[in-house]
């Protein structure tokens, strides 16, 4: 209350202090070249270049020590490439005034080299362009840094990596380095992933390879370890004694819009579940690592994957939305699932008996990605609130990032009745002044800093494919069929029945509404 006035006054919440930066990163001095291979493609335009622009805008990469090279087959000029990218560079919050000027300065850092992905000539001219830049900066030989970002289909990774190794490596005896960033999908099954890993592994050491899974860059995914290991009240609850089941859900409210041909080669399991959702599962289920060193964190993730039991056929429901095969690029008899729900079981002391229900689908009734930890019923329930639903801890990854706990409270009033409500941390409201960075910004910054914590290690990739390959082969052979479901629905009803059978209790009549100011 304001002093003496008898009136309430609203005090500004103090700005957040940050005394706990855990990074041991020491800035490096050698000049940096970022080479985007596949520079004229969609991924580069929509994700890679905008992420580099935002890092530049925030001062994480400096114009005096970085240069960006685009490389692709298309024969265009530097200015053509700059014009293609310009429209994708959106203003940062609070920097709208200087935006055009920032974009102009950033685009001046970009140079284009055209060439094939499997011939010596193109890569020699790329190396020449990079070396000329390094010389112009009077960079001490052996201290310069080269980051190759492969925004390309995986089929060309081996020849491109071979060319980089043969013609574009720099000396690294004074702290310089060469690093390769590869995008998923890493193979189609265990055998093809291992072959790809072996081909790239012959050319580069594991610390030089960054397998990017953009889900690991999402703000709330990065928060999972902090939540679990820095908060006392989660520690005793996070186990089979208290948790009934855990759902990891990804829904999209649109179909394969124009990507049918590409999607049909992979399907929802390869596209979303085997990589993104499995990575989330690792962070939810892993034990506390020895430290935050990347290798310690990745060791624990591998242990989780190695503890997953083979998936039972009767714990899988596949779906394909009606109208999927109308796309001219999709075969009429396609069995490719656009929806899947499955139960994964982790055979270890912490999780024995707790089903992990993994669900992903396209053309559903909403768009969201979330983790839903459902606790067991309250023993000795004197309030008869079982029918209202269980306690749940929900971490919403996108959109409207939030964490909330669903809990039972007394309904305000003279009657003793209970109702479900929530404790809510919605990021849009709590961190109004903060721009939540895009996943790619964070991950590209990690590659520059040499932090592999949020990247997939080779043995981790192998363990992930071991879980799903038998199931994928059954689908490919047509032994497991996709059920039809209507676009805009929840997916096949059998999926809800599977979740219920696994022990998930749906709360009826309760809807979480993101708070507004």
């Amino acid at each position: 209350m304001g002093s003496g006035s008898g009136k309430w006054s609203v005090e500004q919440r103090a700005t957040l202090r940050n005394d706990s930066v855990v990074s041991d990163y020491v800035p490096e001095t050698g000049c940096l070249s970022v080479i985007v291979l596949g520079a004229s493609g969609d991924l580069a335009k929509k994700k890679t270049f905008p992420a580099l622009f935002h890092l530049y805008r925030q001062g994480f990469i400096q114009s005096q020590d970085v240069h960006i090279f685009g490389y692709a087959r298309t024969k265009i000029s530097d200015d053509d490439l700059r014009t293609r990218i310009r429209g994708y560079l959106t203003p940062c919050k609070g920097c709208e005034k200087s935006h055009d000027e920032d974009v102009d300065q950033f685009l001046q850092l970009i140079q284009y080299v055209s060439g094939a992905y499997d011939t010596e000539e193109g890569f020699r001219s790329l190396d020449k362009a990079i070396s000329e830049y390094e010389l112009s900066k009077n960079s001490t030989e052996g201290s310069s840094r080269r980051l190759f970002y492969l925004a390309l289909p995986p089929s060309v990774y081996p020849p491109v990596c071979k060319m980089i190794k043969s013609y574009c490596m720099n000396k690294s005896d004074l702290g310089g380095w060469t690093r390769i960033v590869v995008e998923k999908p890493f193979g189609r099954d265990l055998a093809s992933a291992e072959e790809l890993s072996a081909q790239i592994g012959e050319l580069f050491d594991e610390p030089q390879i960054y397998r990017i899974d953009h889900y690991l860059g999402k703000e709330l995914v990065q928060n999972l370890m902090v939540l679990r290991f820095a908060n006392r009240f989660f520690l005793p609850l996070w186990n089979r004694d208290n948790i009934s089941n855990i759902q990891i859900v990804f829904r999209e409210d649109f179909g394969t819009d124009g990507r049918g041909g590409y999607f049909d080669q992979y399907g929802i399991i390869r596209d979303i579940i085997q990589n993104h959702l499995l990575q989330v599962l690792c962070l939810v289920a892993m034990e506390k690592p020895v430290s935050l060193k990347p290798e310690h964190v990745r060791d624990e993730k591998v242990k989780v994957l190695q503890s997953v039991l083979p998936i039972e056929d009767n714990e899988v429901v596949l779906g394909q939305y009606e109208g999927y095969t109308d796309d001219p690029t999709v075969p009429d008899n396609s069995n490719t699932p656009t929806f899947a729900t499955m139960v994964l079981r982790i055979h270890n002391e912490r999780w024995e008996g707790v089903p992990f229900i993994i669900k992903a689908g396209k053309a559903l009734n909403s768009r969201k990605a979330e983790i839903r930890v459902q606790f067991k019923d309250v023993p000795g329930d004197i309030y008869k609130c079982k029918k209202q639903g269980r306690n749940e801890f929900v971490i919403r990854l996108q959109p409207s990032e939030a964490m909330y706990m669903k809990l039972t409270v007394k309904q305000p009033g003279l009657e003793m009745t209970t109702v479900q409500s929530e404790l809510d941390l919605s990021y849009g409201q709590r961190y109004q002044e903060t721009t939540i960075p895009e996943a790619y910004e964070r991950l590209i910054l990690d590659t520059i800093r040499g932090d592999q914590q949020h990247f997939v290690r080779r043995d981790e990739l192998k363990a992930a494919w071991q879980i799903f390959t038998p199931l994928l082969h059954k689908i490919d052979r047509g032994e497991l069929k996709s059920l039809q479901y209507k676009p805009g629905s929840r997916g096949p009803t059998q999926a809800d029945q599977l979740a219920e059978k696994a022990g998930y209790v749906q709360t009826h009549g309760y809807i979480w509404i993101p708070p507004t100011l």
Side-chain angles (χ1 to χ4, degrees):
M1 202 149 80
S3 55
S5 65
K7 287 213 171 83
W8 289 96
S9 62
V10 178
E11 286 188 27
Q12 268 307 104
R13 181 176 257 175
T15 52
L16 300 167
R17 281 182 57 206
N18 188 356
D19 303 328
S20 62
V21 177
V22 200
S23 164
D24 349 349
Y25 173 67
V26 179
E28 295 166 311
T29 50
C31 68
L32 170 67
S33 303
V34 179
I35 301 97
V36 181
L37 298 121
S40 55
D42 248 19
L43 176 71
K45 281 189 305 204
K46 290 178 182 169
K47 297 290 183 192
T48 320
F49 286 117
L52 288 166
F53 170 64
H54 287 187
L55 289 173
Y56 167 75
R57 180 66 206 74
Q58 295 164 66
F60 285 109
I61 52 180
Q62 306 285 335
S63 52
Q64 63 271 22
D65 64 2
V66 70
H67 203 60
I68 298 165
F69 297 86
Y71 184 89
R73 287 183 298 230
T74 323
K75 289 193 167 30
I76 52 172
S77 67
D78 292 355
D79 282 338
D80 290 339
L81 180 65
R82 291 169 187 158
T83 309
R84 284 182 183 201
I85 298 165
R86 186 182 284 274
Y88 293 97
L89 306 180
T90 51
C92 303
K93 206 174 186 174
C95 311
E96 289 82 1
K97 279 190 185 132
S98 61
H99 178 65
D100 291 342
E101 194 183 322
D102 295 335
V103 169
D104 290 341
Q105 288 171 355
F106 172 74
L107 291 175
Q108 286 314 304
L109 303 175
I110 297 177
Q111 188 178 338
Y112 182 73
V113 179
S114 148
Y117 293 124
D118 53 359
T119 61
E120 178 183 330
E121 189 187 352
F123 283 87
R124 278 202 189 280
S125 51
L126 178 61
D127 180 62
K128 185 166 172 269
I130 303 169
S131 303
E132 279 170 6
Y133 158 67
E134 289 168 352
L135 276 172
S136 73
K137 289 290 177 199
N138 298 325
S139 180
T140 316
E141 200 177 15
S143 73
S144 55
R145 301 167 289 158
R146 295 184 180 186
L147 177 65
F148 290 89
Y149 192 113
L150 276 59
L152 295 164
S155 54
V156 295
Y157 290 170
V160 166
C161 287
K162 215 172 197 153
M163 290 294 146
I164 293 170
K165 179 73 178 176
S166 303
Y167 305 109
C168 295
M169 299 293 281
N170 63 338
K171 292 197 173 69
S172 56
D173 45 348
L174 293 174
W177 44 253
T178 302
R179 290 179 188 145
I180 310 291
V181 182
V182 291
E183 278 273 353
K184 72 159 194 87
F186 316 112
R188 288 181 48 79
D189 56 12
L190 181 61
S192 56
E194 278 290 275
E195 188 185 348
L196 197 56
S197 289
Q199 287 172 319
I200 298 176
E202 275 171 22
L203 302 166
F204 299 103
D205 299 331
E206 188 61 29
Q208 295 178 297
I209 305 167
Y210 287 70
R211 297 175 193 84
I212 205 166
D213 182 327
H214 75 268
Y215 251 61
L216 287 175
K218 286 187 180 293
E219 184 65 39
L220 282 247
V221 175
Q222 298 228 320
N223 211 333
L224 279 169
M225 280 176 61
V226 180
L227 272 175
R228 288 192 51 205
F229 304 128
N231 291 294
R232 179 74 206 204
F233 54 64
F234 285 127
L235 294 174
L237 294 178
W238 213 259
N239 56 42
R240 61 195 296 271
D241 300 333
N242 299 288
I243 291 174
S244 160
N245 58 79
I246 294 178
Q247 276 203 58
I248 301 171
V249 178
F250 171 94
R251 305 165 156 270
E252 280 181 339
D253 53 4
F254 52 88
T256 53
D257 302 349
R259 290 175 66 240
Y262 165 83
F263 183 85
D264 200 68
Q265 297 167 32
Y266 293 98
I268 198 82
I269 298 175
R270 290 183 177 97
D271 199 41
I272 302 292
I273 296 179
Q274 183 273 337
N275 39 67
H276 300 332
L277 301 193
L278 200 62
Q279 286 295 329
V280 173
L281 176 130
C282 287
L283 294 168
V284 170
M286 68 191 248
E287 298 299 320
K288 185 189 276 187
V290 179
S291 76
L292 286 177
K293 288 200 169 76
E295 293 319 306
H296 289 155
V297 174
R298 301 202 296 181
D299 288 346
E300 294 305 334
K301 286 164 71 182
V302 172
K303 284 181 200 166
V304 172
L305 295 173
Q306 290 170 338
S307 309
V308 174
L309 294 170
I311 301 168
E312 300 287 342
D313 289 1
N314 63 352
E315 293 199 313
V316 178
V317 172
L318 305 174
Q320 187 186 87
Y321 66 84
E322 291 169 9
Y324 169 71
T325 53
D326 296 349
D327 183 325
T329 58
V330 173
D332 293 343
N333 61 349
S334 170
N335 183 43
T336 301
T338 60
F339 173 99
T341 292
M342 61 190 65
V343 179
L344 296 189
R345 298 185 181 273
I346 298 173
H347 181 53
N348 66 15
E349 190 179 355
R350 184 184 292 270
W351 297 115
E352 186 73 55
V354 178
F356 283 75
I357 302 162
I358 312 289
K359 179 190 270 185
K362 289 180 172 292
L364 297 175
N365 57 350
S366 62
R367 173 183 169 257
K368 66 177 178 186
E370 66 184 17
I371 304 158
R372 193 171 279 274
V373 179
Q374 187 170 78
F375 292 90
K376 292 183 172 177
D377 290 324
V378 175
D381 175 17
I382 56 173
Y383 288 103
K384 313 265 188 301
C385 44
K386 189 184 269 192
K387 61 181 179 295
Q388 286 179 345
R390 291 170 160 177
N391 291 152
E392 286 183 0
F393 178 45
V394 183
I395 301 165
R396 190 171 172 118
L397 308 177
Q398 69 181 41
S400 319
E401 290 96 341
M403 289 177 247
Y404 60 96
M405 293 190 89
K406 279 169 57 176
L407 66 173
T408 303
V409 295
K410 176 186 171 298
Q411 175 122 29
L414 293 172
E415 296 291 332
M416 175 48 79
T417 51
T418 58
V419 67
Q420 280 241 317
S421 188
E422 70 281 313
L423 296 174
D424 192 311
L425 165 57
S426 281
Y427 275 50
Q429 189 181 35
R430 174 65 179 85
Y431 302 113
Q432 290 165 48
E433 302 307 311
T434 311
T435 305
I436 293 180
E438 276 286 315
Y440 277 95
E441 290 170 45
R442 178 173 289 129
L443 294 175
I444 290 174
L445 186 60
D446 282 348
T447 58
I448 293 169
R449 291 178 167 181
D451 181 348
Q452 286 191 306
Q453 180 180 324
H454 303 117
F455 294 84
V456 183
R457 201 166 67 188
R458 181 173 174 175
D459 55 344
E460 193 182 336
L461 182 63
K462 181 179 180 179
W465 277 117
Q466 278 168 332
I467 296 168
F468 287 103
T469 294
L471 172 65
L472 288 165
H473 284 176
K474 282 177 190 164
I475 298 168
D476 293 344
R477 292 194 299 263
E479 290 165 28
L480 287 178
K481 293 277 187 254
S482 295
L483 305 162
Q484 292 283 302
Y485 64 94
K486 284 201 163 18
S489 67
R490 282 177 56 82
T493 49
Q494 289 89 332
D496 286 337
Q497 290 160 5
L498 173 63
E500 201 177 312
K501 193 170 138 222
Y504 175 67
V505 176
Q506 206 173 336
T507 311
H508 294 287
Y510 166 89
I511 294 173
W512 175 70
I513 298 165
T516 50
L517 294 169

